[in-house]
Amino acid sequence: MTTTPDTSSSILIVDDMEENLVALEAVLGSLTQKVVRARSGEEALKAMLREEFAVVLIDVLMPGMNGFETAANIKGLDQTKDVPIILLTGASVDPNYAYRGYTVGAADFLIKPFDPWLLRTKVNVFLDLHRKNRQLAAQAEQLKRLLTSDERPGGEGPPSAATTAATTATTGTDTGAPPAPPVVSASAPASPTAPQEFPDPQHRPEPGGQPGHPPIPPEGPGAPAPSEPLPQPAPPAAGDASRLAEIAGQLAEVELLLRDAKGSDKERLADRIAELEASVGRLMVSRGT
């Protein structure tokens, strides 16, 4: 079975000697990851700015920018500061090289000649870590989109309970509930565009007649006797409008308290709700319900 290379995780090897690059490619070839070459520290920095790498292997002894300087420059860039670095050096080196390598931010330090199995194992650990970090980043982005998006069509969230109640009290409309009866003030003139209501059946216009004028009863011996006018319903109290407005204002205050309520505001919230219940009770008594 052929294994498909994981092109999402690449390995960068940095060395000024061609034979060392060939040896590293042979050791890392079984990991099925893309291996990118760089012959100097400057070339390595350019490659890292162009492409994302899971791990970087850098030879310490290079002309120009050596391995320590290359590692320090990689850790100094925001785009590449989190990429793990493995420093490679020969056997006859200063014993303080390992300490210096960890100081500049290297994750590991290997001395040549190194065991190929050990090098592959260390590199494979960083490859797995890189894949898991990418999975976590993708999951975090997906969770962020789910939290910020709205499931309702059009992107509009459901209205709060307090907002719905305040709208119902002021406009008399609500989804799934019958509209509240209109409140007519005794002193306010009727709107010229509002439709005229006819509580008495005798005053309803006949088809083809003029609206607002009662039909002319038929005359003669066979004419029915006029019926007595039905009692007119009592108009709503003039103070209902002010009570409803008061309830709407209290509901708006309750909504604000619900949004910003903390431990010290619970008693005040309860008092507001009690006042609202008392106002509703007075309104129901005045309406005779």
Side-chain angles (χ1 to χ4, degrees):
M1 181 178 64
T2 303
T3 304
T4 303
D6 185 3
T7 58
S8 62
S9 302
S10 302
I11 304 171
L12 178 63
I13 55 176
V14 186
D15 201 309
D16 62 309
M17 301 182 64
E18 179 67 20
E19 56 270 23
N20 291 338
L21 294 175
V22 173
L24 287 174
E25 287 179 337
V27 172
L28 301 175
S30 61
L31 296 178
T32 69
Q33 250 66 39
K34 177 183 176 182
V35 179
V36 179
R37 288 184 174 196
R39 299 295 298 269
S40 64
E42 294 83 356
E43 187 177 346
L45 291 175
K46 293 178 181 179
M48 295 196 69
L49 293 176
R50 292 193 305 264
E51 187 176 349
E52 180 180 0
F53 293 96
V55 62
V56 183
L57 283 71
I58 306 176
D59 183 45
V60 172
L61 301 178
M62 292 189 300
M65 185 185 298
N66 61 30
F68 298 120
E69 295 172 345
T70 304
N73 288 326
I74 291 174
K75 292 299 180 180
L77 298 176
D78 291 338
Q79 183 177 344
T80 60
K81 64 181 180 179
D82 296 327
V83 180
I85 300 173
I86 299 177
L87 291 177
L88 307 174
T89 187
S92 57
V93 295
D94 190 339
N96 294 325
Y97 271 14
Y99 174 77
R100 185 179 176 184
Y102 294 128
T103 302
V104 297
D108 208 341
F109 192 91
L110 292 179
I111 298 177
K112 302 175 185 178
F114 46 79
D115 185 354
W117 178 86
L118 178 62
L119 179 61
R120 282 194 300 267
T121 302
K122 291 178 177 294
V123 171
N124 198 35
V125 169
F126 292 116
L127 291 175
D128 291 339
L129 181 61
H130 179 73
R131 283 191 288 265
K132 291 178 181 178
N133 287 337
R134 295 189 64 173
Q135 291 175 0
L136 289 176
Q139 292 175 359
E141 183 65 24
Q142 183 180 6
L143 180 60
K144 181 180 179 181
R145 288 196 302 267
L146 290 176
L147 291 176
T148 55
S149 63
D150 201 317
E151 295 181 358
R152 295 188 61 188
E156 297 182 358
S160 61
T163 305
T164 305
T167 305
T168 304
T170 54
T171 63
T173 58
D174 189 10
T175 303
V183 179
V184 181
S185 177
S187 60
S191 174
T193 59
Q196 184 177 6
E197 297 187 3
F198 300 89
D200 191 346
Q202 294 183 357
H203 294 82
R204 294 188 180 277
E206 294 293 335
Q210 295 294 329
H213 298 278
I216 301 175
E219 298 180 356
S227 60
E228 296 182 358
L230 297 177
Q232 298 291 332
D240 289 351
S242 61
R243 289 194 183 99
L244 289 176
E246 179 183 358
I247 293 173
Q250 292 180 0
L251 282 172
E253 293 180 4
V254 170
E255 179 184 4
L256 295 176
L257 290 175
L258 284 172
R259 293 179 181 275
D260 302 329
K262 296 180 179 179
S264 59
D265 296 333
K266 292 182 179 179
E267 295 183 0
R268 187 171 61 178
L269 179 59
D271 294 340
R272 289 292 186 183
I273 295 176
E275 293 176 4
L276 176 60
E277 292 176 351
S279 299
V280 173
R282 290 194 300 269
L283 180 59
M284 293 177 64
V285 170
S286 65
R287 286 177 172 271
T289 58

